[in-house]
Amino acid sequence: MSIERVSIDLGSGKQLEIETGKMALLCNGSVTVRQGDTMVLITATMAKPRPGIDFFPLQVEYRERFAAVGKMPGGFFKREGRPTEKEILTARMTDRPLRPLFPEGFINEVQIVSTLLSADGENEADVLSILGASVALMVSDIPFNGPVGALRVGRVNGQFIANPTNAEIEASDIDLVYAGIAGKAIMIEGRASEISEEDLRDAMLFADGIVCKQIEAQKDLAARVNKAKAAFTPNLPNAAALAAAEAFCGDRLAAACSAPSKLERQAQQDALKAELTAELTAKFTAADGSTPDVGLIWEVLLEKAIRGLVLDKGIRQDGRKLDELREISCEVGVLPRVHGSALFKRGDTQALVIATLASSGDAQEYDVITGGPSEKNFILHYNFPNFCTGEVGRYGSTGRREIGHGALAERSVVGAMPKDYPYTVRVTSEILGSNGSSSMATVCGSSLALMDAGVPISDAVVGISIGLVTGTDKREFLTDILGSEDHYGDMDFKVSATSKGITGFQLDLKIAGLDIPGMYDAMQRNKVAREQIRAVMAACLPAPRAQLSPYAPQMAVLKINPEKIGALIGPGGKNIRGICDSTGAKIDVTDDGTVKIFATSGPAMEKARYMVEGSTGEVEIGKIYKGIVKTIKDFGAFVEIMPGQEGMVHISELADYRVKTVDEICKVGEEISVKVIDIDDRGRVRLSRKAALAEM
């Protein structure tokens, strides 16, 4: 196989280089994609269908190697372990635009693996993985109705940039990952700094221009490789059994799909499915005992019925109009001892969201390979237990779906957080009920929980999803989609925003693209729905509470001489550990001399502050201190007025009368007030209790 290459001009002097025929030649298709010195290897491999499956088992993986930046992995084993959050999110973004472009009924096992081989710290690898997956499929014999293009779009000083560097992303007010075909988007993901719907539309139009170049380059490369696509037998329901099932169900299926609640609809559908199973088994059991695939037939009928309600009757399963929200309720302060909490309910979907504040030292750290921030002090975690859908299942590690939904909610809400906020904030969303858009319920609940905790967010962030059902010559958008409308519909388009503009977005499509004017139409419908939700949330809690939760850690910020940092920390951290142990406080110190003290009570805070100031301050003549008597001599007492800093009170300075013995006035371990009356040229401190009493 010969080596083939193409180059794509991204503008601003940036080039994408794609090569095939050099690496991983035993795969069905493999390519490398390079921008700058960042290079990703993407492979596509196909196997025969697994016996008994009735779905398309596409598996997409993305892995970063520490060797790509000349680093050794941490830990005892010195090798990469389970995938990081970023690797999982990149794998999800690579998967989503590919899935709609495989042929109907194709159930061969397909595995896409992207491996970061080289990273320059400037150019991100995630969009190279998405693009490379499409190219690898195009040059392979795997059936695929592509290609699809992919890039990241930033905007700096009003100018759009294709595949911006990490420095450009930092300065950008939009971070859009876009995948699509010519004129149509298939997947978008990203965050923004309160931009308008028009801004997001224009960013997609810019991306489409680059995508068109990428698609032509892929077609050219595939033509040069010239590998024929493999034949396959589509896994489709038996036509006679399907026709019989449709006739048996008749209008009863549409009725079974219609009821106010999810549980009612499910019960009706289960009953009808049981009847259909008995009917088809009786009529279509073959001589060898094989029976028709009722599950596959039922899915086809159910999809047709749910879509028919929308396209033919203009109604939803729960009786709503196409642009109507479900009933929404909000409550804050639902948990007595947490820092902030909110219960957000929209129809059957229910999210219990909790905000927790901690010290800046609790920020999440990352072992960064491709560049970007190495830590974050706002963390949002999303939990989706089995019971939230009324099901039983195995409890294991956090799933990809949970990580993806949490990341969407996090980047949506973080834009409203105050800049340089001294606390680390963690938000956890416990999904108690799920029937569509639980990630957007998380966004709404997070805003309320943060405001309940007293975090001064700039505005409530509100999110909702818009769905889509398409017919031969008709399409209908759906506001606030149900889980079944997501599953059997064509789109799940989530947008989150403050009252000023968009902060987060995500698009998933089951069809081969939606034109950008249609995307803009969906955004406008989303905006209308968001304002309705915002009104309900404002009635519950219109603004952040004036004070932090009494259970949140109190904080004080001190500034010390950077040369005194060593004195505060002490040998091996002995001094600062001693302060923390004796007060229960947590202390964070930065190189510029900023000291942040976090404590759970006022007395603990004051004690910690006193000890920090004592460790780092300088004794001042004329200042009164409270000190601890450390040693008693015949001629006076030695008193510690700061940690590690003692002075001597002569017996004549203990009182305004003649003192016979020192222990008449004080004993070792007692606290006394003293005034600094002199510091000699050798740094020895003279103290006076008599002078301190005269001023008190």
Side-chain angles (χ1 to χ4, degrees):
M1 181 177 179
S2 62
I3 297 174
E4 301 289 347
R5 301 182 183 90
V6 293
S7 179
I8 303 169
D9 182 15
L10 300 177
S12 304
K14 297 175 182 177
Q15 294 282 326
L16 275 178
E17 304 291 337
I18 303 174
E19 180 180 87
T20 188
K22 185 175 182 179
M23 297 186 184
L25 302 183
L26 296 181
C27 303
N28 295 74
S30 63
V31 298
T32 57
V33 182
R34 176 174 177 172
Q35 181 176 344
D37 285 340
T38 294
M39 187 167 73
V40 183
L41 168 68
I42 306 96
T43 62
T45 311
M46 177 176 65
K48 294 180 180 179
R50 294 200 305 265
I53 68 167
D54 58 359
F55 63 93
F56 173 40
L58 173 65
Q59 181 186 2
V60 179
E61 300 290 344
Y62 169 81
R63 292 293 188 273
E64 294 183 342
R65 303 304 189 206
F66 280 86
V69 287
K71 291 177 65 176
M72 288 280 241
F76 178 79
F77 294 103
K78 295 298 178 189
R79 71 177 299 152
E80 293 82 1
R82 64 182 184 181
T84 64
E85 183 174 301
K86 182 189 174 183
E87 288 172 319
I88 289 171
L89 293 174
T90 301
R92 281 173 56 86
M93 285 197 297
T94 304
D95 178 303
R96 284 156 42 206
L98 302 177
R99 198 171 285 272
L101 297 177
F102 285 93
E104 183 182 6
F106 179 63
I107 59 170
N108 288 52
E109 215 168 347
V110 174
Q111 187 176 62
I112 309 287
V113 178
S114 299
T115 308
L116 178 67
L117 300 180
S118 177
D120 59 15
E122 296 180 3
N123 296 287
E124 267 294 347
D126 49 8
V127 289
L128 306 187
S129 170
I130 303 169
L131 176 64
S134 174
V135 185
L137 288 166
M138 287 296 294
V139 300
S140 75
D141 61 345
I142 301 172
F144 179 61
N145 298 327
V148 61
L151 71 153
R152 171 175 271 104
V153 177
R155 185 173 66 173
V156 180
N157 298 325
Q159 298 297 313
F160 289 119
I161 304 170
N163 283 5
T165 63
N166 285 317
E168 289 169 333
I169 292 172
E170 189 70 24
S172 175
D173 64 351
I174 184 170
D175 183 5
L176 163 67
V177 175
Y178 179 96
I181 60 177
K184 295 182 178 182
I186 294 180
M187 186 276 293
I188 70 170
E189 180 113 12
R191 59 90 189 160
S193 301
E194 298 179 311
I195 65 170
S196 68
E197 284 72 17
E198 291 73 23
D199 289 335
L200 184 52
R201 175 200 60 196
D202 292 346
M204 288 190 283
L205 289 170
F206 171 82
D208 181 58
I210 305 295
V211 161
C212 290
K213 295 182 184 180
Q214 294 175 339
I215 287 173
E216 291 306 312
Q218 291 182 66
K219 289 179 178 177
D220 174 48
L221 192 64
R224 280 189 263 157
V225 173
N226 196 26
K227 184 180 285 190
K229 294 298 182 183
F232 72 97
T233 302
N235 181 49
L236 300 173
N238 178 278
L242 179 61
E246 196 164 8
F248 176 81
C249 291
D251 294 336
R252 290 197 296 163
L253 183 54
C257 291
S258 304
S261 79
K262 178 181 178 179
L263 294 179
E264 289 179 77
R265 294 191 296 272
Q266 191 62 58
Q268 293 172 175
Q269 291 166 28
D270 289 346
L272 182 57
K273 184 180 179 181
E275 290 184 43
L276 177 64
T277 301
E279 175 73 10
L280 294 182
T281 301
K283 285 188 174 181
F284 291 94
T285 299
D288 61 359
S290 61
T291 58
D293 189 342
V294 179
L296 185 59
I297 291 170
W298 178 255
E299 284 295 298
V300 172
L301 295 181
L302 202 58
E303 179 176 353
K304 185 176 180 180
I306 292 171
R307 295 170 70 90
L309 286 172
V310 173
L311 293 173
D312 301 334
K313 299 181 180 179
I315 59 172
R316 321 274 287 275
Q317 289 182 268
D318 54 5
R320 281 182 294 148
K321 297 176 183 177
L322 303 187
D323 61 351
E324 186 178 349
L325 286 164
R326 287 173 285 178
E327 183 180 356
I328 296 170
S329 64
C330 311
E331 186 179 350
V332 295
V334 292
L335 302 177
R337 288 302 295 262
V338 302
H339 300 164
S341 61
L343 184 63
F344 182 90
K345 186 173 184 293
R346 191 185 64 248
D348 294 323
T349 295
Q350 189 180 50
L352 175 64
V353 188
I354 304 162
T356 306
L357 280 68
S359 76
S360 54
D362 288 310
Q364 186 171 8
E365 297 181 353
Y366 294 97
D367 211 345
V368 176
I369 294 179
T370 58
S374 60
E375 69 173 30
K376 62 181 180 181
N377 63 359
F378 180 79
I379 308 157
L380 194 152
H381 290 149
Y382 166 101
N383 297 316
F384 192 88
N386 300 309
F387 66 76
C388 74
T389 56
E391 297 173 331
V392 174
R394 185 178 66 86
Y395 265 66
S397 59
T398 307
R400 289 189 173 196
R401 182 182 185 279
E402 291 174 295
I403 289 172
H405 280 44
L408 169 61
E410 180 180 289
R411 65 174 175 267
S412 297
V413 176
V414 71
M417 286 291 293
K419 303 299 181 187
D420 301 319
Y421 195 54
Y423 289 92
T424 293
V425 179
R426 179 181 184 233
V427 175
T428 52
S429 176
E430 305 291 341
I431 303 302
L432 306 182
S434 177
N435 188 18
S437 295
S438 55
S439 62
M440 296 295 95
T442 294
V443 168
C444 299
S446 296
S447 296
L448 292 170
L450 289 166
M451 292 195 292
D452 183 52
V455 177
I457 60 175
S458 61
D459 193 8
V461 182
V462 179
I464 193 64
S465 180
I466 301 295
L468 173 70
V469 175
T470 57
T472 305
D473 56 356
K474 188 178 183 181
R475 71 182 182 193
E476 296 286 359
F477 291 103
L478 309 178
T479 297
D480 182 16
I481 57 174
L482 300 170
S484 55
E485 291 170 338
D486 179 10
H487 183 74
Y488 296 110
D490 297 321
M491 181 177 80
D492 182 7
F493 185 17
K494 303 181 179 80
V495 180
S496 302
T498 65
S499 57
K500 293 180 180 178
I502 295 171
T503 58
F505 43 85
Q506 184 183 85
L507 168 72
D508 287 322
L509 282 172
K510 296 183 179 68
I511 56 175
L514 175 63
D515 59 88
I516 294 173
M519 294 280 293
Y520 180 66
D521 189 3
M523 284 190 277
Q524 292 298 329
R525 293 167 187 258
N526 190 294
K527 184 177 182 179
V528 171
R530 287 198 311 267
E531 293 313 305
Q532 295 174 15
I533 300 170
R534 187 179 300 281
V536 178
M537 292 170 59
C540 174
L541 187 61
R545 300 197 188 280
Q547 301 293 329
L548 279 180
S549 164
Y551 301 113
Q554 298 184 38
M555 185 193 68
V557 180
L558 309 179
K559 197 77 173 178
I560 66 172
N561 185 338
E563 295 180 359
K564 295 283 187 176
I565 293 175
L568 173 60
I569 295 174
K574 177 182 177 182
N575 292 353
I576 199 166
R577 260 198 323 271
I579 297 173
C580 294
D581 291 344
S582 65
T583 64
K586 189 163 186 178
I587 301 171
D588 297 333
V589 186
T590 57
D591 291 341
D592 66 352
T594 300
V595 180
K596 296 176 183 176
I597 305 172
F598 299 85
T600 55
S601 68
M605 173 66 73
E606 289 307 312
K607 184 177 180 181
R609 180 199 289 268
Y610 171 76
M611 295 179 74
V612 168
E613 289 176 339
S615 297
T616 59
E618 296 181 358
V619 177
E620 300 176 30
I621 296 176
K623 187 173 180 179
I624 296 176
Y625 295 88
K626 284 187 177 180
I628 304 296
V629 177
K630 291 293 186 179
T631 310
I632 290 179
K633 302 291 184 182
D634 292 340
F635 53 82
F638 287 90
V639 179
E640 184 181 60
I641 55 175
M642 289 183 176
Q645 178 69 62
E646 293 184 6
M648 194 271 286
V649 185
H650 191 267
I651 190 169
S652 63
E653 295 292 338
L654 284 172
D656 57 0
Y657 56 87
R658 188 174 183 276
V659 177
K660 293 181 179 179
T661 59
V662 174
D663 57 10
E664 290 180 24
I665 303 297
C666 59
K667 292 179 172 55
V668 172
E670 287 185 346
E671 183 179 85
I672 63 172
S673 295
V674 290
K675 181 178 180 179
V676 179
I677 55 176
D678 189 31
I679 303 175
D680 67 18
D681 55 4
R682 294 170 60 186
R684 293 179 298 188
V685 180
R686 289 181 57 212
L687 305 173
S688 173
R689 179 175 176 270
K690 178 171 62 177
L693 293 174
E695 294 188 21
M696 294 175 65

